Amino acid sequence: KPSDPTMTGKTQTSNVTNKNDPKSINSRVFIGNLNTAIVKKGDIEAIFAKYGKIVGCSVHKGYAFVQYMSERHARAAVAGENARVIAGQPL
């Protein structure tokens, strides 16, 4: 299957963060109090990618979810980003 030339050098994360797999729940991070009028999916991924491999990211009105490969990465992200101020609002 040929690769999509528009995706060169860019990995695309899934929008799926609601898998019912019990193991995936512990590797999912809820991000609340998010100014989604300003902050977009790419911004969230850029902030949270430093904690580990993101397999999914979904942005909703006022909140988002980031799905990591492992629970360890999710816990590190929560510890590192809790109460961080983004677009004038503490997460």
Side-chain angles (χ1 to χ4, degrees):
K1 184 171 157 185
S3 65
D4 181 348
T6 61
M7 295 303 294
T8 310
K10 195 164 167 62
T11 48
Q12 194 68 343
T13 58
S14 166
N15 289 321
V16 177
T17 57
N18 62 348
K19 284 190 265 177
N20 292 323
D21 172 14
K23 290 192 299 279
S24 75
I25 291 168
N26 291 331
S27 55
R28 185 175 311 134
V29 176
F30 170 78
I31 304 151
N33 199 37
L34 190 63
N35 187 342
T36 48
I38 296 171
V39 183
K40 302 299 174 207
K41 181 180 177 186
D43 303 320
I44 296 295
E45 290 175 359
I47 291 163
F48 285 87
K50 66 180 172 240
Y51 297 100
K53 171 107 173 92
I54 296 173
V55 292
C57 180
S58 60
V59 178
H60 308 272
K61 192 173 171 89
Y63 66 97
F65 286 101
V66 173
Q67 181 74 53
Y68 284 99
M69 284 288 270
S70 84
E71 181 176 348
R72 187 170 49 86
H73 297 151
R75 290 187 185 282
V78 169
E81 300 300 325
N82 191 36
R84 173 178 173 159
V85 176
I86 298 177
Q89 294 178 220
L91 300 182

